[in-house]
Amino acid sequence: MPALIQRHASLLVFLIVLLIWEFTCRFAQVPEYIFPAPSVIWSAAAELGATRWLEHAMATLEVALVGYAVAIALAIPLAIAITRSQVLSRIIMPWLVVIQSTPIVAVAPIIVVTLGAGMLPRVVITTLIAFFPLVVSTALGLASVPAELVELSRSLRATTSRQYWQIRMPFAVPYVCSALKVSITLAIVGAVVAEFVAAEKGLGYLILFATSSFKVPVAFAALGLLVLCSLTLYAIVQQLHKRLFPWSQSTAA
């Protein structure tokens, strides 16, 4: 029995929190428009219908996954360029820090005005949010190779491309995979931020619309679905890491 409790401890804690939440809202008679009970949230979600939920969820996931893919496509080559050239590192890194230090929520309306109200600005916003951890972690992993291995490859007259793909990239795999896990959750955040600014559908748009209409249970249901999407994507990336690079598990950053 104790082993079973330990195995499912997180689920049990989650269920206990839900029960406390439900009973507190009922006995304290908290208004639904302030803090709805889980049963009220579930009823509001069922009332909206599975088709509507699927439509909004797919819209958010589409933006998040496209922005995530673009971030990967830009970040890994840029990290390689940074580690290959100190000049590029001195030029690019300050700009990356500036971009990361700039609140995307403040820049998002400007991006929408500049690029229009279609999918493109939402993808750009998502990419900007998911981009920085990938660049920094990949560059750190590429630079973590022991100096003696680099010198050995040079003494054997290995080309730069072979040095990166056969020596540096294997050392960087744990760093890259850890960054991929972080960035996939940030991609969901980026998609929601973009939908707050300009969107006609999506879970972020639904939260904004529901709160403005005082339909707080619907907003809580959308938030719960967002968390579920984020956790699912994180688990998928984690499983891909385990299956594709099982040897890197013990050294994961």
Side-chain angles (χ1 to χ4, degrees):
M1 192 67 179
L4 184 64
I5 292 175
Q6 288 181 0
R7 183 180 302 176
H8 302 286
S10 59
L11 178 60
L12 289 173
V13 170
F14 176 71
L15 293 175
I16 290 171
V17 170
L18 284 182
L19 288 173
I20 294 173
W21 181 359
E22 179 74 27
F23 286 126
T24 301
C25 289
R26 286 185 178 275
F27 286 111
Q29 297 183 346
V30 180
E32 293 181 5
Y33 60 86
I34 294 179
F35 197 69
S39 59
V40 176
I41 296 171
W42 180 263
S43 299
E47 187 177 334
L48 190 62
T51 304
R52 292 279 303 277
W53 282 114
L54 183 61
E55 180 184 0
H56 288 295
M58 291 304 295
T60 300
L61 287 174
E62 182 183 9
V63 173
L65 292 176
V66 172
Y68 182 61
V70 174
I72 294 172
L74 294 176
I76 293 180
L78 188 58
I80 294 174
I82 288 172
T83 54
R84 287 187 64 174
S85 172
Q86 290 187 354
V87 175
L88 284 177
S89 178
R90 291 172 182 171
I91 294 173
I92 296 174
M93 284 304 295
W95 283 102
L96 294 178
V97 174
V98 169
I99 293 172
Q100 180 64 18
S101 302
T102 304
I104 299 299
V105 177
V107 180
I110 301 175
I111 295 175
V112 172
V113 169
T114 304
L115 300 179
M119 184 176 176
L120 179 60
R122 299 200 292 273
V123 171
V124 170
I125 293 168
T126 304
T127 301
L128 288 174
I129 292 179
F131 176 73
F132 188 77
L134 283 168
V135 176
V136 173
S137 292
T138 304
L140 183 61
L142 293 172
S144 68
V145 181
E148 55 269 20
L149 283 181
V150 177
E151 291 300 324
L152 178 61
S153 67
R154 288 173 180 169
S155 67
L156 295 174
R157 297 181 180 178
T159 61
T160 304
S161 60
R162 290 191 64 182
Q163 179 191 122
Y164 268 82
W165 290 112
Q166 296 183 5
I167 298 177
R168 291 188 182 272
M169 284 305 294
F171 271 89
V173 164
Y175 296 84
V176 175
C177 290
S178 296
L180 288 172
K181 295 172 193 175
V182 173
S183 293
I184 192 63
T185 58
L186 291 177
I188 295 292
V189 174
V192 172
V193 169
E195 289 168 355
F196 282 165
V197 179
E200 296 179 354
K201 58 182 177 179
L203 294 175
Y205 164 80
L206 184 60
I207 290 174
L208 190 65
F209 176 79
T211 51
S212 65
S213 305
F214 292 97
K215 298 179 180 179
V216 179
V218 175
F220 269 87
L223 179 61
L225 185 54
L226 271 175
V227 173
L228 180 61
C229 290
S230 184
L231 291 176
T232 302
L233 292 175
Y234 182 92
I236 291 172
V237 175
Q238 190 174 39
Q239 287 301 315
L240 288 174
H241 181 195
K242 289 181 179 180
R243 290 182 178 273
L244 298 178
F245 309 104
W247 50 267
S248 68
Q249 290 295 303
S250 59
T251 59

